[in-house]
Amino acid sequence: MSIIEPVDLSRPQCRDRSWTHRAIELLQGDRRRSADTHLLNPVFKGLKGLSVYLKDESSHPTGSLKHRLAHSLFLYGICNGYIREGTTVVEASSGSTAVSEAYFAQLLGLPFIAVMPRTTSRAKIEAIERFGGTCHFVEKPGEVYEAAERLARETGGHYLDQFTNAERATDWRGNNNIAESIFSQMECEPHPVPDWIVMSPGTGGTSATIGRYIRYRNLPTRLCVADVEHSAFYDAYVSGDMSVTCPTPSRIEGVGRPRVEPSFMPGVIDHMLRIPDAASIAAAHVLSERLFRRVGGSTGTNFYGLCQLAAGMIKEGREGSLVTLICDSGDRYASTYFDEDWLRSNEIDIAPYRERIERFLDSGEFV
Ligand SMILES: *Cc1c(COP(=O)(O)O)cnc(C)c1O
């Protein structure tokens, strides 16, 4: 006959619930202290009948849209019990994600290692180190995944794995995700439901969140994903073959990947474009001048893609609104995209694109 053996409630087997409790409070506190990011509405006199909106993700405390992702990945790791008191947190990153994750690791008192390509900008490396993170460099962008996995194994730590988890760590139905925020900020506009939202893919996570939300809310908005010159996503989307790779590293930081990342969800994308790097950088220059502050290269990719869609709408005589993102600030790229010598040594001539973009914004003519 078995007896009921009382559990010794003073000694639970899992001892770190109090750390978890405090960690969630710290993450909630960060969110509570933050305001929503602005949805800018610059006026371009050539674009009659069209409204353009830019969701300014550069204004997060860590300077990019990766602040949202890092918050979500830590929350996901903690709520799944993968991240506990003292867990070493490891990530494979081309830079921006690691900056934001280093910030949250410091907030939570966790050791953080970023695995990055050696070509990552000095400014990002300094930011990671300022937040107490350690940088581990690899020679080729394609080597980051394995190195991060190995470091996590060796330290008994947790690999955040943004490229796999970006699409699932974010609450795609709402909970103040970026899509819900955009649509609610648009509510009082002349064309409150955008015809197009444009986004460039890095993990593919932001595009996945927006595309899913559009379908979930039954909205007519279409999602256009604007890829860059050296990246696997565009060819994979067009051919349907998700195993395609691109050995040449992307020159637009934050976007373009050597492989199709698991967080890239082709089924929620309505259209894809491939933007030449010179056009992305030219668009970043033009937009920076029009906004009186510098935006990053991927924002240029977004904006050039938006201009192409706007040109298509003008051609069809349609009115409406288009939305894209300012992914990060151009201040991080003073010695690259905004440096004449860098452009020359990379054989990037932005002048012809620049002229075309300016003429389009001022006259509506696209040539
Ligand atoms: C990550 C990133 C993107 C792409 O966002 P995903 O959600 O990862 O696809 C665009 N621009 C910058 C600067 C980024 O860091």
Side-chain angles (χ1 to χ4, degrees):
M1 200 176 73
S2 67
I3 59 161
I4 295 176
E5 213 175 299
V7 171
D8 181 356
L9 295 176
S10 69
R11 294 170 57 194
Q13 284 167 352
C14 177
R15 287 176 304 278
D16 61 359
R17 279 293 300 279
S18 62
W19 182 86
T20 303
H21 188 89
R22 181 75 193 121
I24 296 296
E25 273 179 351
L26 287 166
L27 290 177
Q28 282 170 344
D30 188 79
R31 204 151 191 193
R32 191 62 64 84
R33 289 193 304 277
S34 304
D36 200 353
T37 58
H38 292 295
L39 187 65
L40 308 178
N41 177 212
V43 175
F44 303 116
K45 67 176 192 288
L47 309 188
K48 293 188 184 65
L50 299 181
S51 311
V52 172
Y53 298 87
L54 301 158
K55 179 86 171 139
D56 184 8
E57 294 294 291
S58 73
S59 62
H60 286 291
T62 56
S64 81
L65 78 170
K66 292 304 190 315
H67 199 77
R68 290 180 195 269
L69 175 62
H71 185 278
S72 298
L73 288 170
F74 273 94
L75 204 53
Y76 185 78
I78 292 165
C79 293
N80 279 293
Y82 305 143
I83 299 173
R84 293 159 179 254
E85 185 168 13
T87 301
T88 297
V89 177
V90 185
E91 181 63 292
S93 170
S94 60
S96 290
T97 306
V99 173
S100 301
E101 289 168 346
Y103 166 92
F104 283 105
Q106 186 177 58
L107 180 75
L108 298 167
L110 299 169
F112 177 71
I113 306 170
V115 181
M116 304 186 295
R118 201 170 288 284
T119 52
T120 303
S121 70
R122 193 65 233 159
K124 285 182 186 168
I125 295 164
E126 278 167 14
I128 291 161
E129 289 172 351
R130 199 171 331 113
F131 289 130
T134 309
C135 298
H136 177 97
F137 296 104
V138 296
E139 298 311 318
K140 296 196 200 104
E143 293 169 5
V144 290
Y145 316 100
E146 221 180 82
E149 230 170 284
R150 182 173 48 76
L151 275 166
R153 215 180 315 117
E154 286 170 4
T155 57
H158 174 63
Y159 173 26
L160 288 166
D161 196 359
Q162 58 166 334
F163 295 108
T164 301
N165 294 319
E167 60 90 357
R168 66 195 65 163
T170 302
D171 291 331
W172 56 274
R173 292 182 190 87
N175 195 13
N176 197 30
N177 69 27
I178 191 163
E180 188 176 55
S181 166
I182 289 170
F183 284 99
S184 88
Q185 286 178 318
M186 285 291 292
E187 267 167 23
C188 300
E189 299 307 303
H191 303 285
V193 180
D195 292 74
W196 288 96
I197 298 181
V198 187
M199 179 59 193
S200 49
T203 63
T206 306
S207 309
T209 300
I210 294 169
R212 286 163 163 169
Y213 188 82
I214 286 169
R215 278 155 186 75
Y216 177 63
R217 290 282 310 274
N218 222 359
L219 296 160
T221 302
R222 282 178 286 177
L223 170 66
C224 174
V225 172
D227 202 8
V228 292
E229 215 170 296
H230 304 299
S231 178
F233 295 123
Y234 180 83
D235 287 334
Y237 183 78
V238 171
S239 69
D241 175 7
M242 295 299 134
S243 70
V244 301
T245 57
C246 176
T248 314
S250 172
R251 292 185 292 194
I252 308 298
E253 273 191 50
V255 292
R257 298 298 307 162
R259 65 171 197 189
V260 179
E261 300 299 345
S263 283
F264 178 73
M265 311 290 287
V268 302
I269 298 168
D270 297 294
H271 194 78
M272 268 196 85
L273 296 169
R274 171 176 272 163
I275 311 293
D277 291 351
S280 293
I281 297 169
H285 278 248
V286 173
L287 191 58
S288 296
E289 281 155 25
R290 305 274 168 136
L291 298 176
F292 302 103
R293 64 172 138 152
R294 280 180 175 177
V295 300
S298 66
T299 303
T301 309
N302 290 346
F303 188 60
Y304 196 80
L306 183 145
C307 287
Q308 291 202 319
L309 292 164
M313 288 175 72
I314 289 173
K315 201 169 159 205
E316 286 190 4
R318 289 175 45 188
E319 300 197 336
S321 56
L322 303 99
V323 179
T324 194
L325 275 65
I326 295 174
C327 299
D328 67 355
S329 156
D331 295 341
R332 285 177 169 173
Y333 310 103
S335 61
T336 55
Y337 312 136
F338 294 95
D339 182 84
E340 290 296 330
D341 293 334
W342 185 91
L343 290 173
R344 216 171 301 118
S345 66
N346 280 275
E347 294 175 8
I348 296 173
D349 180 13
I350 64 169
Y353 285 107
R354 215 189 143 102
E355 207 173 295
R356 263 178 253 178
I357 299 162
E358 302 213 295
R359 178 168 333 148
F360 176 64
L361 297 177
D362 295 333
S363 70
E365 287 165 35
F366 208 77
V367 286

